[in-house]
Amino acid sequence: MSLSDVPGLRPPRHPVHPRARTWWTAQALVTVSGPMLLTALALGLLSFLFFAGALPWLVPLLVVTLVAPALAYAFLMPRHRYTGHAWELGAHAVYAADGWIWRRRRITPLSQVQTVDTVRGPIQRRYGLATLTVTTASTAGEVRIAGLADADAEELARLIGRATHTARTSDAHATPTPAAHAITPAPGAHARVDRPGTEGAA
């Protein structure tokens, strides 16, 4: 579906909450950057205690392969991810954008929305954030808007629910009801009426 198929829907202009950058930084330290830094520290400490002669080449190797990528990920990922996350709600569809390396944009018709849920992980709760998950009947899967403030997520869920009801009601009213067509016998023809018990009667 393209923007031309959805009248009145503009590109996403509503960003997620600025605290999402802090949440993504903490997430990076727990899942990616933290383990990489701990691995570099452990290898450097073991080399210092048992293989001191390896430090001149091991330390630069650890900096290039573990320390620098870990710090770059924790610093750059949240900022790029924040610029790529936005949402927009129209009268007929919800438009969500996300990603930081690979940017993804999805337009979901409100008539296909099945459920709207708010999800809060342990780190998200620490920063008062939530993720809005919109499940649809489409095979493309669910739509997620991550990094919303708790109050904004609840309000957006309410708005999507109301807009979904309105969109389905409008579609139902716009669908024409098939009319019954009367069959008029041609001039000189006789309509046959079968009565119970007369099958095969001469």
Side-chain angles (χ1 to χ4, degrees):
M1 179 176 291
S2 64
L3 282 176
S4 60
D5 300 323
V6 186
L9 182 63
R10 58 194 173 197
R13 68 170 188 171
H14 298 291
V16 297
H17 199 277
R19 285 197 303 269
R21 288 175 292 191
T22 307
W23 165 48
W24 286 320
T25 301
Q27 198 175 46
L29 292 174
V30 171
T31 59
V32 178
S33 299
M36 292 175 68
L37 293 174
L38 288 176
T39 301
L41 179 61
L43 291 175
L45 183 59
L46 289 174
S47 177
F48 175 77
L49 293 176
F50 301 104
F51 307 100
L55 287 176
W57 60 266
L58 181 61
V59 170
L61 180 63
L62 293 177
V63 169
V64 172
T65 59
L66 291 176
V67 176
L71 295 178
Y73 181 79
F75 180 78
L76 296 176
M77 182 274 291
R79 287 157 180 78
H80 283 283
R81 198 170 180 179
Y82 179 77
T83 60
H85 276 65
W87 60 272
E88 189 69 39
L89 178 61
H92 302 281
V94 57
Y95 191 178
D98 60 9
W100 66 285
I101 294 180
W102 304 106
R103 298 293 175 90
R104 180 179 65 171
R105 295 194 171 196
R106 290 189 58 188
I107 301 174
T108 301
L110 292 172
S111 58
Q112 295 184 4
V113 173
Q114 293 182 327
T115 61
V116 182
D117 303 311
T118 53
V119 180
R120 298 174 180 85
I123 303 180
Q124 280 182 305
R125 290 197 300 268
R126 168 67 178 79
Y127 297 104
L129 300 173
T131 297
L132 188 74
T133 303
V134 181
T135 305
T136 70
S138 171
T139 57
E142 62 188 19
V143 177
R144 299 174 70 250
I145 305 175
L148 296 171
D150 281 335
D152 294 339
E154 295 293 342
E155 177 66 11
L156 182 57
R158 186 185 66 81
L159 291 175
I160 292 177
R162 186 173 66 182
T164 298
H165 175 74
T166 302
R168 288 177 177 172
T169 302
S170 300
D171 289 346
H173 289 166
T175 303
T177 302
H181 297 283
I183 301 177
T184 304
H190 300 281
R192 175 182 175 182
V193 179
D194 292 328
R195 295 182 175 83
T198 61
E199 292 83 352

